[in-house]
Amino acid sequence: MLKMKKGLFVAVVAALLMALAACGGKSTETSSSSGGGEAKKKIVVGTDAAFAPFEYMDKGKIVGFDVDLLDAIMKEAGLDYELRNIGWDPLFAALQSKEIDMGISGITINDERKQTYDFSIPYFESTHMIMVKEGSPIQNALDLKGKTVGVQNGTTGQEAVEKLLGKENKNIKKFENTVVAIMDLLNGGVDAVVTDNAVANEYVKNNPDKKIKAIADPKNFQSEFYGLMFPKGSDLKPKIDEALKKVIDSGKYAEIYKKWFGTEPNIESLKQ
Ligand code: ARG
């Protein structure tokens, strides 16, 4: 009698554990083929969708060059995925803790980040530009001295401005995302915003009424390259690299590039 009860107890506990495990599976968002040994895990990709034309929100959807490129890469690799708008600083934390599998967000490949993360092969060449109001006396990066400059926190734009003005300079205002930095420029909170050239140009093009101009300064701003970012040691990296190469070589990359930038990409610059 006692033994029977014990057996029953064990069975109930086992059933509960199995139910819990099933719930766990659902909450980590595995794809529809539940329970089977062949269950394919959805790759969770993070982004900061406030960086047009790379990633931004349009009618409740994340859209942009990066979004189309990601889709082409994942289709090529045959991987199921989900893109989440989690914000810039949280993106780095979530990758480091392996809460998510991958990031695409106009992320520049640099040595400092490479110590903590892995990157794909480069997929876009970028540099910085200065956004100012029309009529501003600022004409190049050196003119930023003594001015208040807005940057997105934790970006290479912040680094570029710190190089010019000094790391501890109180005139550097750091914003959570690039959209709020530009809003502060419009409101007169800062004299300039330094951000990635394609983002600055896109804003100027789409907002002629705002009377903002974007200034290039190739002497003081270096060229850099974007890559998809992974937790260190991720086994996704080789798969993504292979798929990205195919997307570039097949002409799909050029198609996406033309859709968003209206011009032919310089593929050679990516292969340096
Ligand atoms: N390329 C710059 C960097 O990696 C800025 C990227 C910001 N991206 C974004 N989605 N907010 O630091």
Side-chain angles (χ1 to χ4, degrees):
M1 189 67 177
L2 205 73
K3 267 205 174 125
M4 275 270 285
K5 262 193 187 154
K6 211 173 178 185
L8 195 67
F9 177 73
V10 169
V12 167
V13 167
L16 272 172
L17 281 174
M18 271 159 74
L20 268 174
C23 283
K26 258 183 217 134
S27 72
T28 54
E29 294 175 46
T30 42
S31 70
S32 47
S33 50
S34 63
E38 270 292 287
K40 232 189 188 177
K41 248 198 107 205
K42 246 191 201 177
I43 309 286
V44 180
V45 187
T47 195
D48 169 34
F51 206 60
F54 295 100
E55 44 269 325
Y56 60 100
M57 298 307 296
D58 186 28
K59 298 181 198 90
K61 272 181 63 191
I62 313 173
V63 298
F65 174 82
D66 281 352
V67 180
D68 287 353
L69 181 65
L70 172 71
D71 193 63
I73 293 170
M74 297 311 256
K75 280 208 175 102
E76 179 62 54
L79 294 168
D80 208 2
Y81 73 99
E82 182 207 329
L83 182 60
R84 289 189 195 158
N85 181 17
I86 64 174
W88 183 249
D89 292 330
L91 174 60
F92 284 75
L95 280 168
Q96 199 175 358
S97 66
K98 302 195 170 139
E99 217 172 289
I100 61 171
D101 305 296
M102 190 162 92
I104 188 163
S105 207
I107 309 170
T108 300
I109 305 168
N110 67 21
D111 288 341
E112 195 195 330
R113 290 174 183 164
K114 272 199 219 159
Q115 295 181 359
T116 317
Y117 307 94
D118 282 343
F119 283 93
S120 71
I121 55 168
Y123 72 83
F124 193 89
E125 184 174 6
S126 175
T127 186
H128 290 106
M129 268 185 137
I130 307 159
M131 299 174 73
V132 293
K133 284 189 176 166
E134 275 173 19
S136 160
I138 297 167
Q139 287 177 359
N140 57 46
L142 302 180
D143 290 342
L144 293 175
K145 293 214 167 95
K147 300 280 193 280
T148 52
V149 185
V151 294
Q152 181 178 1
N153 188 54
T155 58
T156 52
Q158 177 184 333
E159 246 172 66
V161 175
E162 283 176 350
K163 240 187 175 172
L164 290 160
L165 305 187
K167 214 170 156 58
E168 304 302 328
N169 197 313
K170 295 278 181 300
N171 286 335
I172 304 173
K173 263 177 103 174
K174 297 163 205 151
F175 295 89
E176 186 189 345
N177 65 52
T178 301
V179 170
V180 290
I182 297 171
M183 265 160 62
D184 205 49
L185 173 66
L186 296 176
N187 295 335
V190 288
D191 300 315
V193 164
V194 171
T195 186
D196 297 25
N197 58 335
V199 173
N201 285 330
E202 179 80 2
Y203 185 85
V204 170
K205 189 182 87 195
N206 291 340
N207 300 278
D209 54 310
K210 296 289 197 301
K211 303 209 180 329
I212 295 288
K213 65 176 176 181
I215 306 168
D217 186 343
K219 266 203 209 120
N220 290 293
F221 294 132
Q222 266 122 41
S223 133
E224 48 186 49
F225 292 89
Y226 297 168
L228 290 98
M229 197 163 87
F230 311 92
K232 210 155 189 63
S234 163
D235 55 11
L236 258 183
K237 177 188 151 55
K239 289 181 204 154
I240 298 298
D241 277 348
E242 201 192 312
L244 174 53
K245 254 184 228 142
K246 282 196 186 135
V247 167
I248 292 174
D249 291 340
S250 70
K252 182 75 190 166
Y253 175 91
E255 190 187 296
I256 298 168
Y257 190 100
K258 266 183 268 173
K259 170 180 166 191
W260 289 99
F261 299 103
T263 56
E264 233 18 94
N266 177 2
I267 305 267
E268 284 316 302
S269 82
L270 299 177
K271 296 185 171 168
Q272 36 42 327

